[in-house]
Amino acid sequence: MSLAFDPAVDFALLLAVLAIPLAGYTLQIFLRRKLPHGDKLLTAGMFVVMCLTVYFGAKGLHAAYSGERFFHHSSEAGLEFGWLYTAGTVPDSMNIVMGVLYDPLGAAMLAVVGIVSFCVHLFSIGYMHGDKRYPIFFANISLFTFAMLGLVLADNLLVLFIFWELMGAMSYLLIGHFSHDPSQPFFHRWATWASKKAFLTTRIGDVCLFIGIFMLWDHFHTLRFTELWEHARLAVVENGGAFPAWMTWAGLFVFGGTVGKSAQFPLHIWLPDAMAGPTPVSAMIHAATMVAAGVFLLGRMYPLLSPEVLSVVTMVGATTALFAATMGLVVYDLKAVLAYSTISQLGFMVAGVGLGGVVAGMFHMTTHAFFKACLFLSAGSVIHGCHHVQDMRVMGGLRKKMPITFACMLICTLAIAGVPFFAGFFSKDRIIQAAFLRVLDSRHFDGWSLYALIALSVAAALTAFYMFRLIFLTFYGEYRGNLEHHRFSESLARTGYEGPDPHEHAEPVVAIADHGHGHGEHGAHGHHEDAHHGHHAQPQVAHAAAPAHVAHAVHAHAEHGAHDAHGHEPHESPRVITIALAILALLGVFGGHFWLFEPHKVLHAHPWFEQLVTPASMYGEEVAHWMAPEPTGHELEHHEHLLHQSHNLALIVSSAVALLGIGLAFLFYIVRPDVPGRIVAALGQVYTVVRRKYYIDEFIDATVLRANWALTRLLKWLDENVVDGLVKLVARLNKLGGSFAAWFDKTFVDGAVNAVALASQVFGAAFRLVQTGRIQQYAAFAMGGALLTAAWLILA
Amino acid sequence: MGLGAYVAVSAALFALGLVAILARRNVIYILMGIEMILNAANINFVAFNRFGTMQLDGQMFAIFTIILAAAEAAVALAIVLNVFNLFDSVKPSEADLLRE
């Protein structure tokens, strides 16, 4: 396979990329009883997909480095079809022509999805082993991958929306994976509730996006991205250089889709609860699929967003980044910390796009996918190793017990914290640079940019802080899982993790205790069945080959109480898990910049992503020039000065806040572990507000859900009284008519029928007399009749 | 000899056939009676054709009737064989299942 582009071959391969996960899903769903190794098969298929997607990414990079235009549509290979007509190119205002778009952004995203999905598959072989619905899990996660790949390759907004919705459905199924396991009442209820919450919350965004699509169709009569960009440019030029008002509305509605899917304020509430699903699903949702889809949509639709929309985008993104980071500071559930960090990082991406740094936002989406997938899978490995405990208060000291997991998680934590040379640094630095560009440039300066700059810098510091809080709590200090309950409380007091009792409040909307705290309670008792004795002493591979105990640990942990109060030592996870972690950790280091291979370029050359994806390569020269005209003469000098200045400032600020956050975390959780408790005590009510997630769930509960309930009750009343009344009236009339008909039927119709029957009976009895069966007698009768007839004829 | 002679022969033949059908106890005789009646009809066809104003219509009918009689005899003999197998008899008075 060469790196030159060949439409026929390459589009066939792209279709194979789509077809493999879909075929895997179909096989697994229909033949799972006949395929004993369906999981391995699907993982192998995903390996092929990963190779193909990486190949396509490499192809894009090759073209980018050699300066070729890299933007292909499947019509080059004759692959496109119409919504209403089979001939794809019928010029009709009702015909939506669909095809595959293969552009730099898509190539980068494709590689990310392929790699992360493969790692998640590999990880799941170890992690989900023994699960009751193991084959279904693999099938669903394959279809999830298919949906994301399809979304990336969609060449028009409608196809994108179809895959977008498919992804919503799959996330519903996967978050609710444990909801079909009635042996686990706690998981059962929480998973059911969380999957519904995720589905319905994102639905609000989806409806917004659909309205936006309608508006664009209504005005432009096309949904193909390339045409939309061009139409937007023309519409603005026709309107005298300003965006028409309707485009602002359409842009806001499209952004509504991102807010729902990418968990932006105020629709972020579904994402923390999405961890009710198995950990690999969380890795999938938080990294390469689902939340990335919303940011990806922003990247695709960027030329259509007016400055007003971009202000809103900036505001929402920066707010989300900051306030999710504050929530990340106070939770104890390992996965919840990561969930809030995802929301916060998504806020970075969205704000980056809003600030005009669309490339920076997309870049951060790419690097974030690598390290966030690694972080979630590492967290899964820790949870697996600690026998399904998720509360960080009962972890600690795992560094020596799980060295590989620790190394991977540390690398990716450095990456997400934005420490120089790790993947996250390069992309986060670009977003902060975009903010500086806006703030320093007097022509573009506005209040929101300044707000975003401050919010993002603070959020970056907080990110470094809470991520290292996670590392220190989980991997440093002493292992706290073996402690008796009262000693556990003491140790908490000693290390300063005192807050309001998490069991005081029930979860809003439905009364379910917070998952993480429930785990903490059970985890404190150390809950493992006897079958597990001795397993961790065996080699790691043997662990993977012992299905029963893992399954039991997944499903039965909440049932174990104090009677089983002997904690087990945590152990390193099986090799399939650590390999998946290592792949992603490697990308956590090099995913942003191949700095080890080109050390002289680190500070001044563009990272690979910026080589591949530029506004010109994404949207075409013309549109890119329209969005940001090339500066000339004096302006050019000014522009370069600004670029230089913002670059330096961003470099300093992002490194400084990262190191500040890490330093503070080190101070609070290693050097002076009593400080956090005192701070919490000093903050008092403020802490409670943050701990309770700013009461947003309660707020939505009190407003949206209450209103919905009231409306439902009203409709129920209307239904029972008005609609049912009408129906009953009609029924009564019908009954009346029916009884009359019945009387008529019995009297007249049946009477007539009976009379006919009686007559037949009488005649029959009479004719039976002459019916002797003797043919000669019959002949005689016939003869007699003939004679009589003849006689009558003659005599008459 | 006029038409009357032919008709007389035909009527006699018919009467003989009728008697055979009505009075005989053996189904073979009944079949023979039927053949006689058919032949009586044939004579009438040919005679009326001869003394009427038609062309060859009567003769045509006669030929048809002969063919019909042959076919009928074949079928009837088959029926008789089956009747014999069923009732061990060729007396029509004993085959009275038509009453059922």
Side-chain angles (χ1 to χ4, degrees):
Chain A
M1 290 196 276
S2 81
L3 288 173
F5 188 79
D6 176 4
V9 177
D10 281 349
F11 279 107
L13 284 175
L14 278 173
L15 288 183
V17 166
L18 277 182
I20 290 170
L22 184 61
Y25 170 79
T26 319
L27 271 179
Q28 184 75 338
I29 283 290
F30 290 108
L31 298 175
R32 63 178 183 276
R33 293 205 175 74
K34 292 179 185 160
L35 283 175
H37 295 296
D39 54 337
K40 312 266 185 338
L41 193 73
L42 287 196
T43 308
M46 206 48 69
F47 180 73
V48 176
V49 170
M50 178 180 79
C51 293
L52 283 173
T53 54
V54 169
Y55 161 68
F56 282 120
K59 193 167 251 196
L61 265 185
H62 174 77
Y65 276 101
S66 51
E68 287 164 26
R69 175 105 173 95
F70 180 71
F71 197 95
H72 300 281
H73 187 265
S74 57
S75 54
E76 291 171 37
L79 279 171
E80 59 179 351
F81 65 97
W83 181 260
L84 291 177
Y85 306 101
T86 43
T89 46
V90 175
D92 186 299
S93 65
M94 289 303 292
N95 195 19
I96 298 173
V97 183
M98 300 167 179
V100 171
L101 181 64
Y102 175 37
D103 71 328
L105 180 59
M109 199 60 208
L110 214 56
V112 171
V113 177
I115 293 169
V116 171
S117 178
F118 169 69
C119 290
V120 167
H121 273 74
L122 195 64
F123 180 88
S124 304
I125 292 181
Y127 187 81
M128 297 299 288
H129 205 107
D131 184 72
K132 278 187 181 166
R133 300 172 70 240
Y134 183 77
I136 303 277
F137 175 81
F138 267 86
N140 283 345
I141 212 159
S142 268
L143 197 65
F144 203 21
T145 311
F146 164 74
M148 188 64 196
L149 291 169
L151 185 140
V152 170
L153 289 172
D155 80 322
N156 87 47
L157 207 47
L158 191 71
V159 181
L160 184 139
F161 188 70
I162 292 169
F163 284 109
W164 176 283
E165 289 298 310
L166 179 60
M167 199 138 57
M170 294 322 290
S171 68
Y172 170 75
L173 290 178
L174 285 167
I175 293 169
H177 180 75
F178 289 129
S179 64
H180 292 268
D181 193 352
S183 69
Q184 214 347 306
F186 181 63
F187 252 123
H188 183 64
R189 286 198 355 251
W190 191 45
T192 311
W193 173 73
S195 58
K196 259 188 281 185
K197 186 177 179 184
F199 195 67
L200 293 177
T201 311
T202 52
R203 198 104 327 244
I204 299 170
D206 296 355
V207 170
C208 284
L209 174 58
F210 204 43
I211 295 171
I213 293 175
F214 271 130
M215 289 179 79
L216 291 172
W217 175 259
D218 191 37
H219 284 87
F220 289 155
H221 295 289
T222 178
L223 292 176
R224 187 174 282 192
F225 293 125
T226 45
E227 288 167 8
L228 281 180
W229 300 329
E230 192 55 32
H231 277 77
R233 186 179 75 87
L234 293 176
V236 173
V237 169
E238 268 174 31
N239 200 34
F243 275 83
W246 74 266
M247 276 185 78
T248 301
W249 286 108
L252 284 176
F253 277 117
V254 169
F255 178 58
T258 301
V259 170
K261 210 72 161 180
S262 292
Q264 297 296 296
F265 178 83
L267 296 183
H268 64 280
I269 49 169
W270 66 271
L271 195 60
D273 285 298
M275 66 183 178
T279 308
V281 174
S282 305
M284 205 70 176
I285 289 178
H286 289 252
T289 63
M290 199 73 188
V291 295
V295 181
F296 185 79
L297 174 75
L298 271 192
R300 283 281 193 236
M301 301 301 287
Y302 180 72
L304 283 90
L305 303 179
S306 68
E308 293 80 18
V309 178
L310 289 179
S311 302
V312 176
V313 172
T314 310
M315 182 177 75
V316 171
T319 308
T320 309
L322 181 59
F323 112 118
T326 58
M327 289 193 285
L329 297 174
V330 295
V331 285
Y332 291 111
D333 188 307
L334 188 60
K335 281 170 78 179
V337 176
L338 295 178
Y340 286 117
S341 83
T342 303
I343 299 178
S344 175
Q345 297 303 307
L346 289 167
F348 270 92
M349 300 169 207
V350 169
V353 174
L355 288 164
V358 62
V359 176
M362 297 301 119
F363 187 22
H364 197 51
M365 171 174 77
T366 314
T367 55
H368 175 260
F370 294 137
F371 54 69
K372 184 48 65 66
C374 180
L375 284 171
F376 255 107
L377 294 185
S378 303
S381 172
V382 168
I383 293 165
H384 185 76
C386 290
H387 312 291
H388 295 270
V389 178
Q390 297 192 0
D391 196 311
M392 294 192 295
R393 283 173 295 193
V394 294
M395 291 176 180
L398 299 179
R399 182 176 32 146
K400 300 211 175 72
K401 284 159 182 149
M402 310 180 74
I404 304 175
T405 305
F406 169 67
C408 296
M409 198 156 189
L410 182 66
I411 287 170
C412 290
T413 304
L414 288 167
I416 195 175
V419 172
F421 299 110
F422 289 89
F425 166 75
F426 296 101
S427 50
K428 203 182 276 185
D429 172 58
R430 286 299 193 275
I431 290 176
I432 291 178
Q433 186 187 353
F436 267 116
L437 260 179
R438 293 292 288 263
V439 172
L440 293 177
D441 192 341
S442 52
R443 288 168 306 170
H444 296 301
F445 179 82
D446 58 9
W448 287 119
S449 305
L450 187 62
Y451 165 71
L453 176 63
I454 294 166
L456 292 181
S457 305
V458 175
L462 293 179
T463 306
F465 178 78
Y466 67 69
M467 284 313 294
F468 271 87
R469 168 179 177 262
L470 181 151
I471 289 285
F472 291 142
L473 282 181
T474 309
F475 291 103
Y476 284 82
E478 281 174 36
Y479 180 57
R480 297 181 290 270
N482 284 330
L483 304 176
E484 300 289 327
H485 189 66
H486 60 280
R487 286 187 58 208
F488 163 58
S489 306
E490 272 173 25
S491 86
L492 281 191
R494 193 154 38 78
T495 44
Y497 313 123
E498 248 180 340
D501 183 358
H503 301 287
E504 269 174 10
H505 75 283
E507 198 69 30
V509 186
V510 292
I512 291 176
D514 186 23
H515 178 58
H517 309 140
H519 269 288
E521 184 185 64
H522 301 302
H525 302 303
H527 43 67
H528 313 292
E529 74 277 33
D530 299 333
H532 197 71
H533 278 288
H535 264 303
H536 49 266
Q538 293 172 10
Q540 288 166 9
V541 183
H543 185 94
H549 77 270
V550 183
H552 203 145
V554 171
H555 300 301
H557 65 284
E559 290 161 14
H560 287 276
H563 67 275
D564 194 10
H566 304 287
H568 289 261
E569 290 296 300
H571 56 82
E572 184 59 279
S573 299
R575 201 162 294 158
V576 277
I577 289 184
T578 51
I579 288 173
L581 291 183
I583 298 173
L584 289 169
L586 201 66
L587 287 163
V589 183
F590 296 110
H593 209 313
F594 309 123
W595 49 268
L596 203 62
F597 310 109
E598 38 192 14
H600 54 288
K601 289 184 183 170
V602 172
L603 286 184
H604 298 295
H606 291 300
W608 66 271
F609 191 85
E610 289 179 352
Q611 292 281 351
L612 179 62
V613 180
T614 61
S617 76
M618 269 196 284
Y619 311 120
E621 295 286 350
E622 211 168 1
V623 175
H625 183 72
W626 160 66
M627 289 192 297
E630 292 283 318
T632 48
H634 178 66
E635 275 185 21
L636 182 67
E637 203 176 302
H638 180 64
H639 183 72
E640 285 196 340
H641 174 69
L642 268 182
L643 266 183
H644 189 70
Q645 204 181 0
S646 62
H647 182 74
N648 288 344
L649 278 172
L651 203 65
I652 293 164
V653 167
S654 57
S655 316
V657 291
L659 296 175
L660 177 73
I662 296 170
L664 279 179
F666 185 74
L667 183 70
F668 282 10
Y669 291 94
I670 299 287
V671 185
R672 294 283 304 277
D674 56 319
V675 173
R678 265 190 250 152
I679 293 176
V680 165
L683 285 175
Q685 278 306 108
V686 177
Y687 177 80
T688 318
V689 171
V690 181
R691 190 83 181 80
R692 300 275 291 264
K693 305 183 256 181
Y694 294 92
Y695 295 102
I696 285 170
D697 278 300
E698 282 86 347
F699 177 73
I700 287 174
D701 196 22
T703 53
V704 179
L705 291 184
R706 279 286 144 72
N708 219 341
W709 273 114
L711 184 66
T712 313
R713 269 197 289 275
L714 178 70
L715 288 176
K716 191 187 169 204
W717 181 86
L718 274 177
D719 200 44
E720 277 174 352
N721 292 290
V722 180
V723 179
D724 283 12
L726 274 173
V727 170
K728 276 176 188 158
L729 186 69
V730 170
R732 209 157 284 162
L733 284 175
N734 250 333
K735 211 173 152 188
L736 207 66
S739 55
F740 172 73
W743 171 81
F744 183 82
D745 204 43
K746 272 180 191 149
T747 317
F748 289 96
V749 179
D750 284 12
V753 171
N754 287 341
V756 168
L758 192 68
S760 321
Q761 227 170 356
V762 171
F763 279 106
F767 280 115
R768 244 175 106 176
L769 297 176
V770 294
Q771 192 81 7
T772 58
R774 301 203 179 134
I775 48 172
Q776 284 177 311
Q777 212 169 19
Y778 293 168
F781 286 142
M783 197 58 225
L787 283 178
L788 282 177
T789 311
W792 182 66
L793 281 173
I794 291 164
L795 292 177
Chain B
M1 292 214 290
L3 181 60
Y6 290 98
V7 176
V9 170
S10 165
L13 205 51
F14 179 80
L16 287 171
L18 195 63
V19 169
I21 289 171
L22 292 180
R24 278 294 183 173
R25 290 279 176 255
N26 193 322
V27 83
I28 303 295
Y29 283 103
I30 293 173
L31 278 181
M32 291 165 74
I34 291 169
E35 297 293 320
M36 286 164 79
I37 288 173
L38 285 170
N39 282 321
N42 274 349
I43 291 171
N44 274 0
F45 275 130
V46 176
F48 280 103
N49 193 55
R50 170 73 180 76
F51 293 100
T53 57
M54 293 165 282
Q55 290 177 328
L56 281 172
D57 300 356
Q59 277 88 337
M60 281 302 298
F61 272 108
I63 289 169
F64 270 114
T65 312
I66 290 164
I67 295 164
L68 196 80
E72 181 247 318
V75 176
L77 280 171
I79 293 172
V80 169
L81 273 175
N82 278 311
V83 167
F84 182 74
N85 284 338
L86 201 62
F87 298 100
D88 271 342
S89 158
V90 286
K91 289 181 181 170
S93 58
E94 289 183 11
D96 56 358
L97 281 177
L98 275 182
R99 194 179 48 181
E100 301 298 314

